Each structure stands twice: as C-alpha cells, then as structure tokens.
Amino acid sequence: MTEYDAVVYDLDGTVVDLAVDWDAVRTDVLDVYDTAGVEPPAKDLWTLLERADGAGIAAAVENAIADHEREGARRSTRLARADELLERDVAVAVCSLNCEAACRLALAAHDLDATVGAVVGRDTVSARKPDPEPLLESIRLLSSTPEAALFVGDSERDEIAARRAGVDFEYVDARIPDR
C-alpha cells in the first residue's frame, strides 16, 4: 500500500468492535418516536435516523444513538487493523457512520488517537456514508486527494462511499484476519 499517501479506515468492525447492542439502540430510538407521538417510518435504525429530521426529532434520535455508541466505544475491543494504523508511514484518518465522539473515545481507549490525523463521524459533516462527502472530508483533512488515498472498511456502505468518491477500497478482511 505504499502507493497511497493517505489511508482512511472505517471504525466499527474495521479498527475496533464497539460494544453496542444495536437492538437496544433501535428500541430506544423507537421510544423517542413514541414519546414524540410520531409513527416510526420503519424499523431499520438508519432509516429511523434519516427520517427523524422530517419528524422534528432528529436531535433526540441522534442523542439516543450516540449515548449507546459512546458507552460502546469505552468498552470496545481492538481489532487486528488497529495494529496496522500504528505501522503506517502515511497520513491516517477514520471515517465512520458512528458519531465523532464515539470514534474519538474508541481511538483513545486503544491508544490510537495520536496516530490518527483526522476523524469524521456521521455528525461531522451533513451527509452520511454511503454518500462520499464524509470520506472526501477525511481525505481533505489529511491534505490528500481521492486518487492518492485508500479506504479500508467492512461493509457494502463503505465500498459504495469509496466508489462514489473515486477512492480505492479494500475490505478489512482482505489482508489481515481478526485475532
């Protein structure tokens, strides 16, 4: 990977595993909808988040999700790609669908924060992956270009974001197995 001058990593499932019970998160988000007297548009967590703004409950939904993510970040498990971050001799960033605070907490919990030059969470910019903007912002913050960057992730959403941004992509399990 020496041909790149920047490498951007997804966080959860790539560098660490956040200790988040996503079913509990969805239940809490559905409770926000219920408390507001708003019919949930779906049961999928990310659809609930996307539609919360139109229902006037975006801040409450974001807070419900972020609370779980921050706590999960504190109790996260370090994955094999975390060691790779420490070995990089190029600029490194994290671009995640998790909130920025959770990303920073997880990186600090595993002594990776000093290695990462930029962190972009779902609340850092107005768009969310698979929109390319969070990834492009990560690359801009590293003073790089899409052509000179690699995005390492664990999901189709990550791969789509990379393709839309014109950035090379590598699945997390392509080279280093989890320990």
Side-chain angles (χ1 to χ4, degrees):
M1 284 194 257
T2 56
E3 69 221 54
Y4 302 106
D5 68 10
V7 180
V8 181
Y9 292 86
D10 173 53
L11 181 77
D12 192 22
T14 302
V15 176
V16 301
D17 269 333
L18 296 184
V20 175
D21 178 345
W22 293 105
D23 289 333
V25 177
R26 186 170 25 97
T27 297
D28 286 356
V29 168
L30 288 169
D31 286 346
V32 170
Y33 272 85
D34 186 52
T35 300
V38 176
E39 183 68 29
K43 292 190 179 191
D44 170 66
L45 179 61
W46 302 117
T47 302
L48 292 168
L49 175 62
E50 289 168 4
R51 304 260 179 90
D53 194 37
I57 56 173
V61 167
E62 174 61 35
N63 287 338
I65 298 169
D67 284 347
H68 284 274
E69 289 174 331
R70 287 189 297 269
E71 182 55 34
R74 290 181 186 96
R75 299 180 295 111
S76 61
T77 303
R78 183 180 172 132
L79 298 175
R81 287 288 175 142
D83 295 335
E84 184 180 295
L85 270 116
L86 298 172
E87 299 165 0
R88 288 275 177 215
D89 60 358
V90 298
V92 173
V94 164
C95 177
S96 178
L97 190 56
N98 301 110
C99 70
E100 183 177 336
C103 295
R104 292 186 182 281
L105 285 167
L107 292 169
H110 299 286
D111 296 321
L112 300 167
D113 48 338
T115 306
V116 176
V119 176
V120 175
R122 80 167 165 271
D123 53 346
T124 308
V125 296
S126 62
R128 295 181 195 100
K129 294 185 298 182
D131 187 290
E133 186 52 34
L135 179 55
L136 291 170
E137 178 64 8
S138 301
I139 293 167
R140 279 191 291 270
L141 290 170
L142 295 178
S143 299
S144 186
T145 64
E147 302 78 26
L150 172 69
F151 186 33
V152 179
D154 70 327
S155 71
E156 182 179 11
R157 184 182 294 257
D158 293 333
E159 183 179 24
I160 293 168
R163 185 177 67 245
R164 290 176 176 173
V167 175
D168 286 349
F169 180 75
E170 180 180 295
Y171 270 100
V172 69
D173 60 357
R175 247 185 20 135
I176 301 175
D178 291 344
R179 294 181 197 154

